[in-house]
Structure formats: C-alpha cells, structure tokens
Amino acid sequence: MKLFKKLLAVTLALGIVVGAGVTTGEAATVKAAEQENLKNVFSIDAGRKYFSKDQLKQIISKAHANGYTDVQILLGNDALRFVLDDMSMDVKGVQYSSEDVVDAIKKGNNLYHNDPNGNVLTEAEMNEILAHAEKLNIGIIPVINGPGHMDGILNAMKELGIKNPEYSYGGKTSTRTIDLNNETAMAFNKALLNKYISYFSGKCEIFNFGCDEYANDIDSSAEGYYNGWSRLQGTGDYPKFVKYVNEVAGMIKDAGMTPLCFNDGIYYNNDDQFGTFDKDIIISYWTAGWWEFYVAKPSYLASKGHKILNTNDSWYWVLGNIDGKIDGKDAPYPYNNTVNKIKEVPFRQIPGDDKNTESIGSMQAVWCDVPSVEHDMDRILGLMDLYKENLLTPADYTKVEEAIEKIPADLSLYTEESVKALNTAKDAVLEDSRKNEQGTVDGWAKAIEDAISGLTYKTADYSKVDEAIAKANKLNKADYKDFSKVEAAIKAVKRDLDITKQTEVDAMAKAIEDAITALEKKAPAVDGNTNGTNGGNTTGGTSESIKTGDTTNMAVWFMMLVVSAGLAGIFYTRKRKMNR
C-alpha cells in the first residue's frame, strides 16, 4: 500500500462511485432484513503497529456492541506481532529452536519498527483474546500476510542464517517481499505459516494469508512494469505465485478453516493463462486498481467460483492521517474523508463492480502504514460507531436478563419436572441474535417467565407425622383414661401441604407425639368378686382394689383369727372356773 498509489486509488474509487450513479448523501444504511447472514467485519492492522491484548479486547467488545460478526486481526503485516509458546521448526533438515526463532522475530520487528508499546503478543494473551471473542460470539480472522508485507519475517530469516530471502529485480531488492525462487526461504515461510495455521485450527473459521501488493516497493517502470503483479507475469514467475497461493490455501483447508486473501494479485488483469486459483478462497475485494494497476473485476472472480467479501477501501482509514498528511507528508485515506465515505458509500457497493456481484458481507479497516503514530483508540472506536448504521446491531436482551434474574435461587424446593421445563427455556437462549430477531429473543424471555410461573413446589415431608400416627395406632385406647386428644391431633393433620409448609407439618407430628406422651393409663383390675366395698371403689360388686404390694394369703389371717378365738375361749373358761 504505497502512499501515492493509495491516493490514486481513492481518486479512482471516487470516480467509480460517481460513475455508478451514487448520489451524494445516499443512505448507507441497509435494513436488517436485507443483511441477514452477511459478514460484518472490522479489520485492525496489529501487524505494523503493536496493539496490546486489552486494546484488541476493547475493539472486540465494541464490535459485539455495534453488530459486527467478526474482527480481523492482522498479526503478520510488515512486522510479525505474535509468537507461540513453541516456535521450533525443522526446515529442509535444519533445526531451529523455539528460542532462536522467537528472538529472530523480535529482532526482525525492531528492524522494521522498534515499537515502544510492545513487540509481540504471547500465546497466553492470544488465548485470552480468543476466549473473549468467543464469549461475545465474535469470530476472529487472523492474518499472516505473504508473500508481500513480510519485512519482519524476512529480517528474522536473515537473523537465522537464511541468505537472500528477499525478492530482487533489476538490481533492486524489496524489503518486504519474499523471493518465490528461494526454496529455503519459501520452505521456512510455509513451515512458519503452518505453525500459525495449526494454532488457529479449531479456534477460527477463516484464515487470511494476505497475498496483496507483491514487491510494490521496487520501481521497475523503466522496464515497463508498473507493479509487482505485472512484473511477475512479464517475467514468467506468476505461475509460482499461483502455486504458492494454492499450497497455502490447501494447508488452511486441511486445518478445517476457509482461506481468505486480498484481491489485487488473484487473476491479475483478468488473466487466467498462468494457472487456476483454488476456488474455495474467499476474495477480500478492497481495490478496483489504479493507474497501470489492472486487477480482476469482482464479477470475473465470482465467475471463477470465488465468494467476495466487500472490503471497499472507501471505508479505510490510515491511523494518524486526519486531513491528508502524516508528519507533514501526503498520506492516503484521511480520517475526514473516511467519515464521509462511510455515510455515502452503500454497504453492498464493491469497488469497480458494475454487475451487482453478490458478496458475503463487508469489511471496514484501519491501517497503520506509519506505525510510529499514536493509537488514537477514540477515533478507531468512533469509526466503528459510525459504521454500525450499516450493520445488524445486537437484539435487546433486557427482557431475557430480567426474566433470568427472577429465577429462584434455590430450585431444590421445586419438582424435578417443573425445574427441567425452566432449564429448557433458559438453555434455549442464544447470545448472538441480532435486531431482526428481536421477536425470537422476546419469546425466550416469555418462555422463561412462563416456566417460572409453572414451578411447582415439592410436597412437604410427612414422615414424622406418619411415624407418630403409626405409634398411636399401636396403642389400645381402652387402656387409657382419655384417648380423645390423640385422636384429635391425628384428625387435625392436613395432607398435601407443600414444602414451604414443612414447619406446620412438623408441628402436626409434634402435636400427636405430645398427646401420646400425656396419656394416663387406667388402674389395673384385681382378680375375684366381692359384694362389699374395697377402699371405697366398687364397680357392680366387682372388687377393683389397687394392689399396694401386700401379697399375704388371706387364709393365713383367717387361721390366726380362729386360733386367737380359741385361745380366748380357753382363757375365758379357765378364769370362770377359778372364780367358782
């Protein structure tokens, strides 16, 4: 993306807009119903300039709030700002230790731009970034650019002893583009790419491998080549580019992801005589070309079987460029112009398209062509706020959240069936719904509310009551003076109370137990009948005298009485005789 060429691109894009009959002030907003299932991507150049984990998470959060579906993070773009825990590689029989590779990448980045904000993101930081995106249902599209925009990687190769990895032509050497004819450099690059492809496999759906602007930093106009693509085609090396693209696309597909790359190098000049590109590659269509830069038209690429992601550079902003200059030098994509273009250029308008070519969505991008400028997060997030009018913003989940807050804390009080119904209603909620699905979201809230209303308390535990009643039933009420209080306590039991009335149920059990404890037994009956009284207690002539422990045989007492009477009689008779 050379500066003067981007200025030409902006001018050309403006001409195309006017030529297409787009009226100034035309509404860029596309209604929700028209955008269903389209990609809405925000792209941040975190390759040239270091962005921290927290800054990237902030961008992801904003993307979610504003209705984007994905965030594209350029990790390898001029510099390489991400390293894995294990960066060891075996390239053509040469072993490169992880420590040596990481050290070489960091040195290579510093040679490109010694960023005071940081050098590389770690695998742990990237794991956290991906987890944050997954939580918000935002897809991450990683980018490791090549064969151009590889300054940092090429520097790292030289640090590791690989000779002349850069592309050269006419005595001039590109600082950012790999030489397709250098087998060692190409093998190293593919091994490096494979490390990142393997890491992102299973974590991301799309992997962007760049493929834009091949050696545009070499001026070969004297030879009749005004850009890298025309030079490759003119020198016969373009088939090697086709081979490289298809090999990397295959690596990405083998890892379960969809390959994505920029449009300018694919079938350059609508020419397919040099080979066929893998049609599964999604084309990120960003430019219609500029003077002597003849890219394939969107309709041509679509006819070759490629899906198109509209990456209209009318929405581009180069960080630090407010009014067309950075540090006093002319620069492309000024902020003020980007603001206007976001308002004017329709969501579906692909650069240079005159046949209403279908796209799978749109992508807005912020680039860091001059990495020394400040981050300016306020303007980055502000452009995202402005662009959100094109997007399907998230549905309002307020009613769902309020319904969930009403769910009782202790669900153990309720029947298994009613709790299952509530959990089913709650689990049906999807967090990624958009505004056009608001009715469905509100339906989830109502289903949760209905399930809460349908919660049924479990029946109270009557085991203590049943035990007390069983205890009472074992008693013979005829043995007690008054059994009525026990019967009344049993009769007072109310069945089918729910668990919230457990205290009342336990009180019923206690009432029965207390009544049993208070029972008084009747006096026990005595054997034998009598017509007299016994201690004042008579029951129809039947003695019921209470035994007091005196168990002396009554016959003994009677014999003693007879003997005493006999002795008294003898004594009386003798005394009478003596008186005579």
Side-chain angles (χ1 to χ4, degrees):
M1 280 176 271
K2 305 310 292 176
L3 299 185
F4 79 93
K5 289 190 174 97
K6 285 185 176 176
L7 285 170
L8 289 172
V10 173
T11 303
L12 180 60
L14 179 59
I16 290 168
V17 170
V18 174
V22 179
T23 304
T24 301
E26 178 181 350
T29 302
V30 179
K31 299 301 181 184
E34 299 175 332
Q35 292 189 57
E36 190 170 2
N37 298 323
L38 294 182
K39 287 285 186 185
N40 305 309
V41 186
F42 180 81
S43 178
I44 185 68
D45 184 0
R48 290 185 174 107
K49 184 172 184 61
Y50 176 86
F51 280 76
S52 71
K53 170 196 69 178
D54 291 336
Q55 287 172 320
L56 293 174
K57 287 172 66 177
Q58 186 180 11
I59 289 171
I60 291 167
S61 295
K62 175 64 75 172
H64 172 259
N66 286 6
Y68 292 84
T69 59
D70 302 83
V71 171
Q72 175 172 274
I73 305 176
L74 287 98
L75 299 166
N77 191 48
D78 288 358
L80 179 58
R81 300 291 183 188
F82 171 46
V83 295
L84 301 167
D85 290 343
D86 179 13
M87 293 296 295
S88 61
M89 291 190 292
D90 182 348
V91 181
K92 298 176 74 67
V94 178
Q95 302 290 328
Y96 298 95
S97 71
S98 180
E99 183 179 0
D100 287 345
V101 173
V102 171
D103 185 58
I105 289 172
K106 290 180 178 179
K107 288 180 179 178
N109 287 342
N110 287 338
L111 288 172
Y112 165 73
H113 171 63
N114 192 354
D115 197 325
N117 300 290
N119 192 305
V120 294
L121 293 166
T122 65
E123 184 171 332
E125 288 175 319
M126 184 56 63
N127 289 341
E128 188 173 334
I129 290 168
L130 293 173
H132 180 66
E134 182 179 16
K135 181 180 178 181
L136 298 178
N137 202 43
I138 293 292
I140 295 297
I141 302 175
V143 184
I144 306 292
N145 208 341
H149 292 292
M150 293 179 58
D151 310 47
I153 295 175
L154 295 173
N155 291 336
M157 288 185 189
K158 290 185 287 185
E159 287 286 332
L160 293 169
I162 297 174
K163 299 184 180 301
N164 305 317
E166 308 101 325
Y167 171 80
S168 296
Y169 180 79
K172 301 174 183 177
T173 300
S174 171
T175 61
R176 63 188 53 179
T177 307
I178 194 170
D179 182 0
L180 296 173
N181 292 300
N182 188 322
E183 293 182 2
T184 301
M186 290 296 290
F188 183 94
N189 186 48
K190 290 176 186 176
L192 182 66
L193 268 174
N194 195 53
K195 299 287 286 189
Y196 292 109
I197 291 170
S198 297
Y199 169 78
F200 286 108
S201 176
K203 302 179 180 73
C204 301
E205 295 180 0
I206 299 173
F207 189 100
N208 187 339
F209 60 112
C211 299
D212 66 316
E213 300 179 327
Y214 187 88
N216 279 3
D217 55 337
I218 290 180
D219 181 6
S220 55
S221 56
E223 292 85 357
Y225 302 126
Y226 295 95
N227 60 74
W229 304 124
S230 63
R231 190 166 50 245
L232 282 180
Q233 289 184 346
T235 59
D237 284 334
Y238 193 82
K240 295 176 182 177
F241 171 68
V242 176
K243 180 182 178 183
Y244 167 82
V245 169
N246 288 337
E247 285 179 350
V248 176
M251 291 161 58
I252 294 169
K253 292 198 297 182
D254 288 345
M257 295 181 288
T258 301
L260 170 72
C261 73
F262 295 105
N263 71 287
D264 48 289
I266 306 301
Y267 293 114
Y268 181 76
N269 200 22
N270 292 338
D271 196 339
D272 62 3
Q273 66 173 309
F274 300 100
T276 302
F277 291 97
D278 187 332
K279 66 180 181 179
D280 291 333
I281 301 170
I282 300 171
I283 304 300
S284 179
Y285 206 100
W286 70 278
T287 182
W290 49 79
W291 182 74
E292 294 292 339
F293 196 76
Y294 305 117
V295 302
K297 295 291 185 181
S299 57
Y300 181 86
L301 295 174
S303 72
K304 294 294 187 180
H306 297 282
K307 293 179 180 179
I308 306 296
L309 178 62
N310 180 21
T311 314
N312 197 318
D313 67 341
S314 294
W315 306 318
Y316 278 13
W317 177 44
V318 169
L319 193 70
N321 184 4
I322 305 303
D323 55 6
K325 293 182 181 295
I326 299 178
D327 297 333
K329 298 179 181 179
D330 290 341
Y333 306 117
Y335 177 82
N336 295 331
N337 187 65
T338 302
V339 168
N340 292 330
K341 293 301 181 183
I342 287 175
K343 296 176 182 177
E344 296 170 2
V345 178
F347 177 87
R348 291 182 181 274
Q349 183 173 311
I350 305 171
D353 184 40
D354 56 0
K355 295 186 177 180
N356 295 319
T357 304
E358 289 293 323
S359 71
I360 63 170
S362 70
M363 177 156 64
Q364 171 196 18
V366 171
W367 299 96
C368 300
D369 293 36
V370 182
S372 59
V373 301
E374 295 298 321
H375 285 97
D376 201 352
M377 291 296 292
D378 288 343
R379 280 194 172 90
I380 292 174
L381 300 177
L383 286 176
M384 295 177 76
D385 284 336
L386 187 62
Y387 194 73
K388 77 176 180 180
E389 296 303 320
N390 289 315
L391 311 179
L392 284 173
T393 55
D396 183 359
Y397 278 75
T398 301
K399 291 182 180 179
V400 172
E401 292 167 357
E402 290 174 349
I404 291 175
E405 287 178 359
K406 294 177 183 178
I407 295 176
D410 187 3
L411 292 177
S412 66
L413 301 176
Y414 302 94
T415 62
E416 181 178 346
E417 183 178 359
S418 65
V419 171
K420 182 179 179 181
L422 173 59
N423 287 334
T424 298
K426 183 181 175 183
D427 293 342
V429 175
L430 300 178
E431 296 182 358
D432 60 340
S433 298
R434 303 291 169 176
K435 186 186 294 183
N436 64 318
E437 300 172 305
Q438 188 63 54
T440 301
V441 175
D442 291 344
W444 292 330
K446 185 177 185 302
I448 294 172
E449 294 271 10
D450 291 345
I452 292 173
S453 298
L455 284 173
T456 304
Y457 282 118
K458 294 177 180 177
T459 302
D461 182 3
Y462 277 78
S463 59
K464 291 182 180 179
V465 171
D466 294 336
E467 290 172 2
I469 292 174
K471 187 175 180 180
N473 288 338
K474 291 180 181 180
L475 300 176
N476 183 359
K477 65 180 180 178
D479 292 341
Y480 300 91
K481 294 179 181 180
D482 185 1
F483 205 77
S484 62
K485 291 183 178 180
V486 175
E487 292 174 326
I490 293 174
K491 187 176 181 181
V493 171
K494 295 179 181 178
R495 292 287 177 176
D496 299 326
L497 295 181
D498 63 52
I499 198 168
T500 64
K501 304 293 193 302
Q502 187 64 53
T503 301
E504 296 179 28
V505 174
D506 292 342
M508 296 174 198
K510 186 175 184 303
I512 298 171
E513 291 282 2
D514 290 346
I516 292 173
T517 301
L519 286 173
E520 293 185 34
K521 281 190 174 184
K522 297 176 181 177
V526 178
D527 291 339
N529 296 325
T530 177
N531 291 326
T533 63
N534 184 5
N537 295 324
T538 60
T539 53
T542 301
S543 173
E544 292 185 353
S545 61
I546 299 174
K547 296 181 181 181
T548 62
D550 183 1
T551 57
T552 305
N553 196 315
M554 293 300 294
V556 175
W557 285 103
F558 181 75
M559 289 177 62
M560 290 178 66
L561 181 61
V562 172
V563 171
S564 298
L567 290 173
I570 293 172
F571 176 76
Y572 176 76
T573 301
R574 286 182 178 177
K575 186 175 182 179
R576 187 175 179 183
K577 287 181 179 181
M578 288 177 62
N579 290 335
R580 291 178 179 173

Short mmCIF file of all heavy atoms in Angstrom, two decimals, residues 144-187:
data_model
loop_
_atom_site.label_atom_id
_atom_site.label_comp_id
_atom_site.label_asym_id
_atom_site.label_seq_id
_atom_site.Cartn_x
_atom_site.Cartn_y
_atom_site.Cartn_z
N ILE A 144 -1.80 -13.58 8.51
CA ILE A 144 -0.34 -13.63 8.38
C ILE A 144 -0.06 -13.40 6.90
O ILE A 144 -0.26 -14.28 6.06
CB ILE A 144 0.25 -14.98 8.84
CG1 ILE A 144 -0.21 -15.32 10.27
CG2 ILE A 144 1.77 -14.95 8.73
CD1 ILE A 144 0.34 -14.42 11.33
N ASN A 145 0.37 -12.20 6.57
CA ASN A 145 0.47 -11.79 5.17
C ASN A 145 1.72 -12.35 4.50
O ASN A 145 2.76 -12.53 5.12
CB ASN A 145 0.47 -10.26 5.09
CG ASN A 145 -0.09 -9.74 3.78
OD1 ASN A 145 -0.17 -10.47 2.80
ND2 ASN A 145 -0.47 -8.47 3.76
N GLY A 146 1.58 -12.62 3.22
CA GLY A 146 2.67 -13.05 2.38
C GLY A 146 2.13 -13.27 0.98
O GLY A 146 0.92 -13.35 0.80
N PRO A 147 2.96 -13.31 -0.02
CA PRO A 147 4.42 -13.22 0.00
C PRO A 147 4.95 -11.80 0.13
O PRO A 147 6.17 -11.59 0.20
CB PRO A 147 4.81 -13.85 -1.33
CG PRO A 147 3.65 -13.56 -2.23
CD PRO A 147 2.44 -13.61 -1.37
N GLY A 148 4.05 -10.81 0.14
CA GLY A 148 4.48 -9.44 0.38
C GLY A 148 4.22 -9.05 1.82
O GLY A 148 3.70 -9.83 2.62
N HIS A 149 4.59 -7.83 2.18
CA HIS A 149 4.39 -7.31 3.54
C HIS A 149 5.01 -8.23 4.60
O HIS A 149 4.41 -8.49 5.65
CB HIS A 149 2.90 -7.09 3.82
CG HIS A 149 2.30 -5.99 3.00
ND1 HIS A 149 2.64 -4.67 3.19
CD2 HIS A 149 1.40 -6.03 1.98
CE1 HIS A 149 1.95 -3.92 2.32
NE2 HIS A 149 1.21 -4.72 1.56
N MET A 150 6.22 -8.72 4.33
CA MET A 150 6.87 -9.68 5.21
C MET A 150 8.17 -9.13 5.81
O MET A 150 9.05 -9.90 6.20
CB MET A 150 7.17 -10.98 4.45
CG MET A 150 5.95 -11.77 4.01
SD MET A 150 6.39 -13.28 3.09
CE MET A 150 7.42 -14.15 4.27
N ASP A 151 8.29 -7.82 5.94
CA ASP A 151 9.55 -7.21 6.39
C ASP A 151 10.15 -7.91 7.61
O ASP A 151 11.33 -8.29 7.61
CB ASP A 151 9.33 -5.73 6.74
CG ASP A 151 8.60 -4.95 5.66
OD1 ASP A 151 7.58 -5.46 5.16
OD2 ASP A 151 9.03 -3.82 5.35
N GLY A 152 9.35 -8.02 8.68
CA GLY A 152 9.84 -8.60 9.92
C GLY A 152 10.27 -10.04 9.77
O GLY A 152 11.29 -10.47 10.32
N ILE A 153 9.48 -10.83 9.02
CA ILE A 153 9.81 -12.25 8.82
C ILE A 153 11.09 -12.39 7.99
O ILE A 153 11.95 -13.24 8.29
CB ILE A 153 8.64 -12.98 8.15
CG1 ILE A 153 7.41 -12.98 9.09
CG2 ILE A 153 9.02 -14.41 7.80
CD1 ILE A 153 6.16 -13.57 8.47
N LEU A 154 11.23 -11.57 6.96
CA LEU A 154 12.45 -11.63 6.14
C LEU A 154 13.68 -11.25 6.97
O LEU A 154 14.75 -11.88 6.85
CB LEU A 154 12.32 -10.70 4.94
CG LEU A 154 11.23 -11.08 3.93
CD1 LEU A 154 11.09 -10.00 2.87
CD2 LEU A 154 11.52 -12.42 3.29
N ASN A 155 13.51 -10.26 7.85
CA ASN A 155 14.62 -9.91 8.75
C ASN A 155 14.96 -11.07 9.67
O ASN A 155 16.13 -11.35 9.95
CB ASN A 155 14.23 -8.69 9.59
CG ASN A 155 14.12 -7.41 8.76
OD1 ASN A 155 14.72 -7.30 7.70
ND2 ASN A 155 13.35 -6.46 9.25
N ALA A 156 13.92 -11.76 10.15
CA ALA A 156 14.14 -12.91 11.03
C ALA A 156 14.86 -14.03 10.31
O ALA A 156 15.75 -14.70 10.87
CB ALA A 156 12.79 -13.40 11.57
N MET A 157 14.50 -14.27 9.04
CA MET A 157 15.18 -15.31 8.27
C MET A 157 16.68 -15.02 8.19
O MET A 157 17.51 -15.92 8.36
CB MET A 157 14.59 -15.37 6.86
CG MET A 157 13.20 -15.96 6.77
SD MET A 157 12.69 -16.10 5.03
CE MET A 157 10.96 -16.53 5.21
N LYS A 158 17.02 -13.79 7.92
CA LYS A 158 18.44 -13.43 7.82
C LYS A 158 19.14 -13.59 9.17
O LYS A 158 20.32 -14.00 9.22
CB LYS A 158 18.58 -12.00 7.29
CG LYS A 158 18.18 -11.89 5.82
CD LYS A 158 18.41 -10.51 5.23
CE LYS A 158 17.42 -9.49 5.72
NZ LYS A 158 17.57 -8.18 5.05
N GLU A 159 18.42 -13.26 10.25
CA GLU A 159 19.00 -13.47 11.60
C GLU A 159 19.30 -14.94 11.83
O GLU A 159 20.24 -15.29 12.55
CB GLU A 159 18.01 -12.96 12.66
CG GLU A 159 17.89 -11.46 12.77
CD GLU A 159 19.10 -10.82 13.43
OE1 GLU A 159 19.76 -11.50 14.25
OE2 GLU A 159 19.41 -9.65 13.11
N LEU A 160 18.49 -15.82 11.23
CA LEU A 160 18.66 -17.26 11.41
C LEU A 160 19.59 -17.88 10.37
O LEU A 160 19.77 -19.10 10.32
CB LEU A 160 17.29 -17.95 11.36
CG LEU A 160 16.35 -17.62 12.53
CD1 LEU A 160 14.94 -18.12 12.23
CD2 LEU A 160 16.86 -18.24 13.83
N GLY A 161 20.18 -17.05 9.53
CA GLY A 161 21.19 -17.54 8.59
C GLY A 161 20.70 -17.85 7.20
O GLY A 161 21.46 -18.39 6.37
N ILE A 162 19.42 -17.57 6.90
CA ILE A 162 18.90 -17.81 5.55
C ILE A 162 19.35 -16.64 4.65
O ILE A 162 19.07 -15.48 4.95
CB ILE A 162 17.37 -17.94 5.55
CG1 ILE A 162 16.97 -19.16 6.41
CG2 ILE A 162 16.81 -18.06 4.15
CD1 ILE A 162 15.48 -19.31 6.60
N LYS A 163 20.00 -16.97 3.56
CA LYS A 163 20.59 -15.94 2.71
C LYS A 163 19.62 -15.46 1.62
O LYS A 163 18.90 -16.26 1.02
CB LYS A 163 21.88 -16.45 2.08
CG LYS A 163 22.96 -16.83 3.08
CD LYS A 163 24.24 -17.25 2.40
CE LYS A 163 25.31 -17.63 3.40
NZ LYS A 163 25.64 -16.54 4.32
N ASN A 164 19.63 -14.16 1.43
CA ASN A 164 18.90 -13.52 0.33
C ASN A 164 17.44 -13.97 0.20
O ASN A 164 17.01 -14.42 -0.88
CB ASN A 164 19.62 -13.78 -1.00
CG ASN A 164 21.06 -13.33 -0.96
OD1 ASN A 164 21.37 -12.25 -0.44
ND2 ASN A 164 21.96 -14.16 -1.51
N PRO A 165 16.67 -13.87 1.27
CA PRO A 165 15.27 -14.30 1.18
C PRO A 165 14.39 -13.31 0.42
O PRO A 165 13.28 -13.66 0.00
CB PRO A 165 14.84 -14.38 2.64
CG PRO A 165 15.68 -13.34 3.33
CD PRO A 165 17.00 -13.37 2.62
N GLU A 166 14.87 -12.06 0.18
CA GLU A 166 14.04 -11.04 -0.43
C GLU A 166 14.05 -11.14 -1.96
O GLU A 166 15.01 -11.58 -2.57
CB GLU A 166 14.52 -9.62 -0.05
CG GLU A 166 14.70 -9.38 1.43
CD GLU A 166 16.15 -9.47 1.87
OE1 GLU A 166 16.89 -10.32 1.28
OE2 GLU A 166 16.55 -8.72 2.76
N TYR A 167 12.94 -10.70 -2.51
CA TYR A 167 12.79 -10.64 -3.96
C TYR A 167 13.63 -9.48 -4.51
O TYR A 167 13.65 -8.38 -3.94
CB TYR A 167 11.32 -10.43 -4.32
CG TYR A 167 11.05 -10.13 -5.77
CD1 TYR A 167 11.00 -11.14 -6.72
CD2 TYR A 167 10.82 -8.81 -6.19
CE1 TYR A 167 10.73 -10.86 -8.05
CE2 TYR A 167 10.56 -8.52 -7.52
CZ TYR A 167 10.52 -9.55 -8.45
OH TYR A 167 10.26 -9.27 -9.76
N SER A 168 14.30 -9.74 -5.62
CA SER A 168 15.10 -8.70 -6.28
C SER A 168 14.77 -8.67 -7.76
O SER A 168 14.43 -9.70 -8.38
CB SER A 168 16.60 -8.97 -6.10
OG SER A 168 16.97 -8.91 -4.75
N TYR A 169 14.90 -7.46 -8.33
CA TYR A 169 14.71 -7.32 -9.78
C TYR A 169 15.44 -6.06 -10.25
O TYR A 169 15.34 -4.99 -9.62
CB TYR A 169 13.22 -7.20 -10.13
CG TYR A 169 12.98 -7.05 -11.61
CD1 TYR A 169 13.02 -8.16 -12.46
CD2 TYR A 169 12.74 -5.80 -12.17
CE1 TYR A 169 12.82 -8.02 -13.83
CE2 TYR A 169 12.55 -5.64 -13.54
CZ TYR A 169 12.58 -6.77 -14.35
OH TYR A 169 12.38 -6.62 -15.72
N GLY A 170 16.17 -6.22 -11.34
CA GLY A 170 16.86 -5.08 -11.94
C GLY A 170 17.84 -4.42 -11.01
O GLY A 170 17.99 -3.18 -11.04
N GLY A 171 18.45 -5.22 -10.14
CA GLY A 171 19.42 -4.67 -9.22
C GLY A 171 18.80 -4.01 -8.00
O GLY A 171 19.51 -3.44 -7.17
N LYS A 172 17.50 -4.11 -7.86
CA LYS A 172 16.79 -3.54 -6.71
C LYS A 172 16.18 -4.66 -5.88
O LYS A 172 15.70 -5.66 -6.41
CB LYS A 172 15.70 -2.58 -7.18
CG LYS A 172 16.23 -1.42 -8.03
CD LYS A 172 15.08 -0.59 -8.59
CE LYS A 172 15.63 0.52 -9.50
NZ LYS A 172 14.54 1.31 -10.13
N THR A 173 16.22 -4.48 -4.57
CA THR A 173 15.73 -5.51 -3.65
C THR A 173 14.54 -4.99 -2.84
O THR A 173 14.59 -3.88 -2.30
CB THR A 173 16.85 -5.95 -2.69
OG1 THR A 173 17.93 -6.49 -3.45
CG2 THR A 173 16.34 -7.01 -1.72
N SER A 174 13.51 -5.80 -2.77
CA SER A 174 12.33 -5.45 -1.97
C SER A 174 12.62 -5.76 -0.51
O SER A 174 13.16 -6.84 -0.18
CB SER A 174 11.11 -6.26 -2.43
OG SER A 174 10.03 -6.08 -1.54
N THR A 175 12.27 -4.84 0.38
CA THR A 175 12.47 -5.08 1.80
C THR A 175 11.33 -5.88 2.42
O THR A 175 11.44 -6.30 3.57
CB THR A 175 12.60 -3.75 2.56
OG1 THR A 175 11.40 -3.00 2.40
CG2 THR A 175 13.78 -2.95 2.03
N ARG A 176 10.26 -6.08 1.65
CA ARG A 176 9.06 -6.66 2.26
C ARG A 176 8.51 -7.90 1.57
O ARG A 176 7.53 -8.47 2.03
CB ARG A 176 7.97 -5.60 2.29
CG ARG A 176 7.50 -5.11 0.93
CD ARG A 176 6.56 -3.94 1.05
NE ARG A 176 7.16 -2.91 1.86
CZ ARG A 176 6.59 -1.74 2.13
NH1 ARG A 176 5.40 -1.48 1.68
NH2 ARG A 176 7.21 -0.85 2.87
N THR A 177 9.15 -8.31 0.46
CA THR A 177 8.57 -9.40 -0.33
C THR A 177 9.54 -10.55 -0.48
O THR A 177 10.73 -10.35 -0.76
CB THR A 177 8.17 -8.87 -1.73
OG1 THR A 177 7.33 -7.73 -1.57
CG2 THR A 177 7.43 -9.94 -2.52
N ILE A 178 9.04 -11.75 -0.28
CA ILE A 178 9.89 -12.94 -0.36
C ILE A 178 10.13 -13.33 -1.82
O ILE A 178 9.28 -13.10 -2.69
CB ILE A 178 9.22 -14.12 0.40
CG1 ILE A 178 10.22 -15.25 0.64
CG2 ILE A 178 7.99 -14.62 -0.33
CD1 ILE A 178 9.71 -16.32 1.59
N ASP A 179 11.30 -13.90 -2.07
CA ASP A 179 11.66 -14.37 -3.41
C ASP A 179 11.04 -15.75 -3.62
O ASP A 179 11.40 -16.72 -2.95
CB ASP A 179 13.18 -14.44 -3.53
CG ASP A 179 13.65 -14.86 -4.92
OD1 ASP A 179 12.79 -15.10 -5.79
OD2 ASP A 179 14.88 -14.95 -5.12
N LEU A 180 10.10 -15.83 -4.57
CA LEU A 180 9.42 -17.10 -4.83
C LEU A 180 10.36 -18.17 -5.34
O LEU A 180 10.02 -19.37 -5.32
CB LEU A 180 8.29 -16.88 -5.85
CG LEU A 180 7.15 -15.96 -5.40
CD1 LEU A 180 6.19 -15.69 -6.57
CD2 LEU A 180 6.39 -16.57 -4.23
N ASN A 181 11.55 -17.77 -5.79
CA ASN A 181 12.53 -18.73 -6.32
C ASN A 181 13.53 -19.19 -5.27
O ASN A 181 14.35 -20.07 -5.57
CB ASN A 181 13.28 -18.10 -7.51
CG ASN A 181 12.38 -17.88 -8.70
OD1 ASN A 181 11.81 -18.83 -9.23
ND2 ASN A 181 12.23 -16.62 -9.12
N ASN A 182 13.49 -18.63 -4.06
CA ASN A 182 14.40 -19.05 -3.00
C ASN A 182 13.75 -20.19 -2.22
O ASN A 182 12.87 -19.99 -1.38
CB ASN A 182 14.71 -17.87 -2.07
CG ASN A 182 15.79 -18.18 -1.05
OD1 ASN A 182 15.87 -19.29 -0.51
ND2 ASN A 182 16.62 -17.19 -0.75
N GLU A 183 14.16 -21.41 -2.54
CA GLU A 183 13.50 -22.59 -1.99
C GLU A 183 13.60 -22.65 -0.46
O GLU A 183 12.64 -23.03 0.22
CB GLU A 183 14.10 -23.86 -2.60
CG GLU A 183 13.81 -24.01 -4.08
CD GLU A 183 14.36 -25.30 -4.65
OE1 GLU A 183 14.94 -26.10 -3.86
OE2 GLU A 183 14.21 -25.53 -5.86
N THR A 184 14.75 -22.28 0.08
CA THR A 184 14.92 -22.33 1.54
C THR A 184 14.02 -21.31 2.22
O THR A 184 13.35 -21.62 3.21
CB THR A 184 16.39 -22.06 1.92
OG1 THR A 184 17.23 -23.03 1.31
CG2 THR A 184 16.56 -22.13 3.44
N ALA A 185 14.00 -20.09 1.69
CA ALA A 185 13.15 -19.05 2.26
C ALA A 185 11.68 -19.44 2.17
O ALA A 185 10.91 -19.25 3.11
CB ALA A 185 13.40 -17.72 1.57
N MET A 186 11.27 -20.00 1.02
CA MET A 186 9.88 -20.40 0.84
C MET A 186 9.51 -21.55 1.77
O MET A 186 8.41 -21.58 2.34
CB MET A 186 9.64 -20.81 -0.61
CG MET A 186 9.69 -19.64 -1.60
SD MET A 186 8.39 -18.43 -1.32
CE MET A 186 6.95 -19.35 -1.84
N ALA A 187 10.44 -22.49 1.96
CA ALA A 187 10.17 -23.61 2.87
C ALA A 187 10.04 -23.12 4.30
O ALA A 187 9.17 -23.57 5.06
CB ALA A 187 11.29 -24.64 2.76
#
